[in-house]
Amino acid sequence: MKTTHRATFGGRLSAVLVTAGSAVGLGNIWRFPYVAGENGGGAFLLIYILSVLLLGLPIMLSEFAIGRHTHRNAVGAYRTLSSRWSPLGYNSILAPLLIMGFYLVVSGWTMEYMIHSLTGEFTRIDTPAHYEALFAAFTLNPWKPVLYTVLFTLLTHSVIALGVRKGIERSARILMPLLLLILAVLAVHSMLLPGGMQGVRFLFAPDFSKVTPATVLTALGQAFFSLSIGLGCLVTYASYFKDDTDMTRTALQVATIDTLVAILAGLVIFPAVFSVGIAPTAGPSLVFVTLPAIFNTLPLSMVWSTIFFLLLVIAALTSTISLHEVLTVYVEEEWHVSRRTAAWIVTAVCIALGAAASLSLGAWQWLQLGGRSLFDLLDFVTANIMLPAGGFFVCIFTGWVLDRRFMPTELTNGGTLRLRLWPLLSVLLRWVCPVSILLIFLDNLGWL
């Protein structure tokens, strides 16, 4: 049963940009380029694209179909289709909440570094060791990271509070083109640096000698997490799709944009890294230590550094908006409160959880479980357990539990669109995707 008087996106472009914004995040900027370079460059890229097509798209289409058919929040959507599968909806609510706990902290770091760049503070630092010390001092500070976590949460809240059309849709139509423009400008600049083409070769030159079964699992995992599968984001955003939305085309366009952002990020990072002869490293050290040191060696260093961290802020914001919206619409519809009230409830909980996660890296280092800080624990549990579980059971639900006519009917808009590849999609959804996700799950836990 569909709800009435519910917001919808204004057009097909908005649906694509908003959903792409959910998929594009900080992981596209620093994780994909490094993983690709370490796993065969162009060879990994090829495996990744195949993973997106064979694993990511079928599950994305499943979540699209569930969301648009019910026009409900994640919990309401699964409950509407089968009350026994409500727990899958609750997993799609709890996972975004826990992810927000650590993701807002890192997002706050990007805002702090953008301000550092804008004020020219980085130009007064002369060695990579000083950047490393600056990053360590900042993350260990008892109040500054918390302050930026709160500020980023309130920035996210300001978009959510405006609603679907005026907030989420309008922000996506501004932020996504701006993100792509900044990436393109930075990529061209990096490739023109002396020695920059060495970084391009590092990213794209296929080295099949590095391809192993572990490489394939890494590509599958990157595709899975990059597309926001199992989070409730796709179900929630699809619930705002119009009934005539071509979901197959939308999914292909979202996957294309997400992959394009990851590739452009590689063209930003690796030419710059190789131009100054620094070995690339993964994670926060690459973004918050190595790259600021590189920018400081370039002409107009303050400008390029500011633009880069503005890019990170935008990438983080498009993701936190989608995660916040999943929670907000759940509270609004399930608790029967106004959207404004729901948004403030979610914001307050996220601030409390984010502050605790931030402090667990410094002043509250006693806040640990199983040898992990709260920050690391939230990351581990969501990435290694909750997201794979969500994706796995989405496959089981749509591939085996629902009526076999559900998916083809939804994807063809009741038979008005052609879907010649449904036999292949059905096999992927019922067999290939569940097995692949199970392998990813076992690999993440170190059992393979």
Side-chain angles (χ1 to χ4, degrees):
M1 181 178 65
K2 297 182 180 182
T3 58
T4 57
H5 306 296
R6 200 166 191 272
T8 58
F9 293 135
R12 295 176 182 177
L13 177 62
S14 295
V16 171
L17 291 178
V18 169
T19 311
S22 173
V24 171
L26 294 176
N28 297 74
I29 307 299
W30 61 263
R31 188 177 187 274
F32 176 85
Y34 176 82
V35 171
E38 288 295 287
N39 288 274
F44 177 87
L45 180 59
L46 177 61
I47 297 171
Y48 171 77
I49 292 173
L50 290 175
S51 300
V52 168
L53 294 174
L54 300 179
L55 174 66
L57 284 178
I59 307 177
M60 180 186 290
L61 289 171
S62 295
E63 296 198 55
F64 277 0
I66 291 168
R68 194 190 63 176
H69 178 82
T70 60
H71 291 292
R72 299 293 302 273
N73 65 81
V75 171
Y78 288 103
R79 185 177 60 237
T80 298
L81 293 172
S82 174
S83 60
R84 294 181 179 180
W85 283 77
S86 294
L88 182 54
Y90 285 107
N91 182 79
S92 300
I93 296 298
L94 183 58
L97 174 62
L98 299 184
I99 288 173
M100 286 283 270
F102 69 87
Y103 200 91
L104 284 167
V105 176
V106 181
S107 300
W109 296 350
T110 68
M111 183 179 285
E112 156 78 357
Y113 268 60
M114 185 184 73
I115 293 175
H116 274 317
S117 301
L118 192 60
T119 58
E121 182 172 346
F122 286 153
T123 61
R124 296 189 289 271
I125 301 175
D126 55 4
T127 66
H130 286 171
Y131 283 101
E132 190 171 351
L134 176 68
F135 180 67
F138 171 65
T139 55
L140 292 173
N141 189 286
W143 65 271
K144 285 184 72 174
V146 174
L147 172 62
Y148 281 102
T149 298
V150 172
L151 289 175
F152 206 97
T153 309
L154 293 176
L155 177 61
T156 304
H157 173 92
S158 68
V159 175
I160 296 296
L162 291 174
V164 174
R165 284 282 185 94
K166 294 182 179 180
I168 298 171
E169 182 177 333
R170 185 176 295 174
S171 67
R173 293 178 74 96
I174 296 172
L175 294 177
M176 286 306 297
L178 181 59
L179 183 147
L180 291 170
L181 176 62
I182 292 175
L183 269 173
V185 170
L186 287 172
V188 171
H189 176 265
S190 291
M191 288 188 291
L192 292 177
L193 293 172
M197 293 309 297
Q198 185 181 352
V200 176
R201 288 191 293 271
F202 176 77
L203 177 62
F204 287 117
D207 184 357
F208 291 101
S209 67
K210 293 185 178 180
V211 175
T212 64
T215 302
V216 177
L217 286 177
T218 301
L220 288 171
Q222 178 69 24
F224 181 78
F225 299 121
S226 180
L227 295 174
S228 297
I229 291 169
L231 274 175
C233 298
L234 300 179
V235 171
T236 300
Y237 276 172
S239 73
Y240 301 132
F241 286 178
K242 293 182 177 180
D243 288 337
D244 64 350
T245 299
D246 186 338
M247 293 188 292
T248 304
R249 177 181 293 181
T250 300
L252 284 169
Q253 291 169 337
V254 169
T256 300
I257 292 174
D258 186 67
T259 303
L260 177 62
V261 168
I263 293 172
L264 284 174
L267 293 176
V268 171
I269 292 173
F270 288 112
V273 168
F274 277 89
S275 71
V276 293
I278 297 177
T281 55
S285 61
L286 173 64
V287 172
F288 297 104
V289 177
T290 306
L291 286 176
I294 292 171
F295 286 129
N296 205 20
T297 66
L298 305 176
L300 302 175
S301 60
M302 188 173 74
V303 174
W304 295 114
S305 182
T306 301
I307 292 174
F308 176 77
F309 284 107
L310 173 62
L311 166 69
L312 293 186
V313 169
I314 294 172
L317 183 60
T318 59
S319 293
T320 57
I321 288 171
S322 66
L323 294 167
H324 199 299
E325 177 60 16
V326 172
L327 302 170
T328 297
V329 72
Y330 162 74
V331 173
E332 178 188 5
E333 294 181 353
E334 299 296 319
W335 297 9
H336 305 292
V337 298
S338 68
R339 181 178 180 86
R340 186 176 296 274
T341 299
W344 274 117
I345 290 172
V346 172
T347 295
V349 173
C350 287
I351 286 176
L353 185 59
S358 178
L359 289 169
S360 73
L361 297 175
W364 290 4
Q365 291 187 5
W366 51 267
L367 192 58
Q368 295 189 3
L369 184 64
R372 288 185 171 91
S373 66
L374 177 61
F375 179 97
D376 292 329
L377 182 65
L378 294 175
D379 185 8
F380 177 83
V381 170
T382 53
N384 295 284
I385 299 175
M386 300 185 74
L387 268 66
F392 177 82
F393 286 111
V394 166
C395 296
I396 301 301
F397 184 57
T398 54
W400 295 94
V401 176
L402 293 179
D403 190 295
R404 292 288 297 271
R405 293 168 294 181
F406 174 80
M407 284 295 293
T409 299
E410 287 297 318
L411 296 181
T412 60
N413 292 350
T416 60
L417 299 174
R418 291 185 178 183
L419 187 63
R420 296 175 179 175
L421 293 178
W422 171 244
L424 173 61
L425 284 173
S426 178
V427 171
L428 292 173
L429 192 59
R430 290 164 61 87
W431 298 103
V432 177
C433 292
V435 171
S436 299
I437 294 172
L438 184 61
L439 291 174
I440 294 170
F441 177 76
L442 296 175
D443 183 60
N444 286 342
L445 297 181
W447 295 349
L448 285 182

